[in-house]
Amino acid sequence: MLLGTDNDIAYLNPETGTPAWTRNDVKKLNQDDVKEIPGTPILLVADSTGSFSKGTRLYAIDVLTGKDIWVSDKLKGSPVAVIPNYEKSLILMVTVMDKRMNKDKLDIAAFDLGSGKVLWQNEFSEKVDLYGIERGSKYFSRFDLSGTQPPVFDGDSVYFTYAGLHRFNLADGKLIWKVPYDVTEGNIKRANAAATFDPDTVYTSAKGRVRAIDKTTGAVKWTSKDFGGGIAEIVPYKDVLYSRLGGVFYDFGKREYVTKKPLGVAAVDKATGAPVWLYDKAQDSITNIVLLPEQNFIMLADAKNLIGLDTTNTGKIKETFKQKLEFKFNLGKAATVAKVGRFAMGGLGGLAKNMSAKGGDTTDEPVLISKQENGTLVIRGKQHLMAFDPRTR
């Protein structure tokens, strides 16, 4: 358990509460200045020297001992994203000069994961929209890249979906090409999908449209029609891209989660971007989509039903099946606990307003579908888990 105070940081034994180690040379850190690198024993600590600092000292600390693995003074500004690449044994650190700005130019530095050696540094050519940190103060906001999808690695390249699509060479950090376009949905976080690939094409989404971009040249092959809402997920399969429309997103301006409509799935032709079919009948909420090619349908859930969409149709989409969900909140002594999360800063008041507006609605909307190795799907709500066999339905 990592604890930060005004005077130090400490790693506590979770069973006893006693410190395994303490460091008092790094102090008064914000939570977003400390990053764990999953799959490694490395804790990255970015220590800025004052509010208007032009530089940051970066510590790579061994979480087992508290000792430095390496220290670097080569970082410009304050980190807004940390992206490890284990295959290349490097970390990309994305920084800005002032985290109190909601738009700024980015600096990208690649560090060797083992030694901390700076492999290269480069500056983003466009100013990029930043997003308010959810746990930050309402009046003294700090901003980072938490509202964007993380960059995607592909061999010796990395693709950033900030302010459009930018491809960088991982070996030397040079920009290979860029396609600038507006990606921002106001204060809504993660309303666009992560970049996905074919051998010669990159597919991205922004502001309700899907784009196909040539990997080699950066030329835009096509741009789809505007489907009218955030496209937060793209699933390619054979000659079609399946795009999830809408969902529940965090709105930093309102300090709460909001539903963006339309809710459904759009299928577009990979070669042309032309619509193959559109499904916009999901009610009140939508989960991720799960492609099941063996059964020829896409699985999703809305607030009321499990839904299977036929992937063999064109034009008017057909629901292969629709099965009612019985996810209801338990209104016992802990009546509000699980549902409060959806209303973020609104807390119990937000729940009360929602329950009143919906006439005491106790629906527990499903939030995620996970496919297990044995083919079973697990649908997760806030208070429920359900296992579903798509073969027998």
Side-chain angles (χ1 to χ4, degrees):
M1 182 182 292
L2 184 66
L3 174 70
T5 74
D6 281 349
N7 299 312
D8 54 27
I9 59 172
Y11 230 73
L12 307 182
N13 181 321
E15 294 181 0
T16 65
T18 56
W21 53 262
T22 301
R23 292 279 299 258
N24 57 16
D25 56 334
V26 281
K27 57 187 71 174
K28 294 188 178 180
L29 298 170
N30 289 288
Q31 188 169 336
D32 48 294
D33 291 329
V34 181
K35 308 280 185 186
E36 289 184 288
I37 305 298
T40 77
I42 297 176
L43 184 74
L44 289 179
V45 176
D47 186 15
S48 301
T49 54
S51 300
F52 299 94
S53 169
K54 299 299 181 185
T56 297
R57 174 170 286 186
L58 183 64
Y59 295 85
I61 297 174
D62 186 328
V63 296
L64 301 178
T65 65
K67 298 184 183 303
D68 293 335
I69 300 172
W70 49 262
V71 181
S72 175
D73 292 312
K74 304 297 184 183
L75 201 61
K76 295 179 182 178
S78 299
V80 288
V82 180
I83 310 108
N85 182 322
Y86 303 118
E87 183 184 346
K88 302 289 185 184
S89 189
L90 59 80
I91 305 169
L92 296 183
M93 300 290 294
V94 184
T95 61
V96 294
M97 284 302 173
D98 189 347
K99 291 179 79 167
R100 297 166 302 173
M101 305 290 290
N102 64 1
K103 193 176 186 111
D104 205 350
K105 277 196 173 181
L106 306 179
D107 188 78
I108 306 168
F111 290 82
D112 180 85
L113 191 60
S115 68
K117 177 184 176 183
V118 178
L119 304 175
W120 51 261
Q121 281 184 291
N122 202 351
E123 186 180 63
F124 225 67
S125 53
E126 285 78 33
K127 280 192 172 183
V128 170
D129 288 307
L130 302 170
Y131 297 80
I133 298 169
E134 291 172 33
R135 58 187 171 271
S137 162
K138 184 174 182 178
Y139 301 104
F140 301 99
S141 299
R142 290 163 64 83
F143 296 84
D144 64 8
L145 288 165
S146 58
T148 64
Q149 297 289 354
V152 178
F153 296 103
D154 182 43
D156 292 325
S157 296
V158 58
Y159 294 84
F160 294 91
T161 49
Y162 313 147
L165 184 67
H166 297 66
R167 179 184 178 186
F168 283 82
N169 188 325
L170 270 182
D172 57 16
K174 290 183 179 177
L175 178 69
I176 299 173
W177 50 253
K178 64 180 180 179
V179 185
Y181 51 86
D182 187 9
V183 302
T184 309
E185 293 271 1
N187 290 314
I188 301 297
K189 289 191 166 191
R190 300 214 173 197
N192 302 325
T196 188
F197 304 98
D198 269 351
D200 59 355
T201 309
V202 189
Y203 302 101
T204 66
S205 71
K207 299 180 78 69
R209 298 179 186 271
V210 180
R211 284 176 174 80
I213 299 168
D214 186 274
K215 262 190 184 182
T216 304
T217 66
V220 178
K221 295 183 175 183
W222 53 258
T223 302
S224 76
K225 64 169 281 189
D226 184 350
F227 288 103
I231 297 176
E233 184 180 14
I234 299 174
V235 179
Y237 182 66
K238 292 186 177 178
D239 298 328
V240 179
L241 294 174
Y242 299 100
S243 304
R244 190 192 91 210
L245 305 180
V248 177
F249 304 98
Y250 187 75
D251 185 323
F252 176 72
K254 295 181 178 179
R255 300 299 200 277
E256 65 182 19
Y257 287 87
V258 297
T259 301
K260 296 286 284 183
K261 296 181 178 180
L263 300 171
V265 181
V268 300
D269 186 281
K270 270 189 184 180
T272 66
V276 177
W277 51 257
L278 173 66
Y279 177 81
D280 59 0
K281 306 299 184 188
Q283 299 180 45
D284 298 329
S285 69
I286 190 170
T287 62
N288 58 309
I289 56 178
V290 177
L291 179 67
L292 298 168
E294 315 84 27
Q295 283 83 41
N296 291 320
F297 63 80
I298 278 182
M299 184 86 176
L300 61 103
D302 65 12
K304 310 290 185 184
N305 301 285
L306 284 175
I307 301 165
L309 301 178
D310 187 350
T311 57
T312 62
N313 268 29
T314 58
K316 190 172 181 181
I317 184 60
K318 178 184 175 184
E319 291 177 350
T320 304
F321 70 89
K322 181 184 280 188
Q323 191 164 104
K324 190 171 177 59
L325 275 174
E326 294 292 345
F327 278 14
K328 297 290 183 184
F329 280 99
N330 173 10
L331 298 181
K333 341 185 231 192
T336 55
V337 172
K339 198 153 187 172
V340 162
R342 178 178 171 192
F343 301 96
M345 305 288 272
L348 296 174
L351 173 63
K353 282 188 286 185
N354 180 73
M355 298 281 283
S356 172
K358 290 190 175 183
D361 183 11
T362 60
T363 302
D364 179 6
E365 294 92 346
V367 294
L368 183 72
I369 301 178
S370 303
K371 187 177 181 180
Q372 308 304 299
E373 288 184 7
N374 63 2
T376 300
L377 301 179
V378 174
I379 297 90
R380 177 166 69 87
K382 298 178 184 70
Q383 286 190 353
H384 298 81
L385 286 172
M386 183 181 77
F388 178 78
D389 189 334
R391 294 154 295 199
T392 63
R393 303 178 197 173

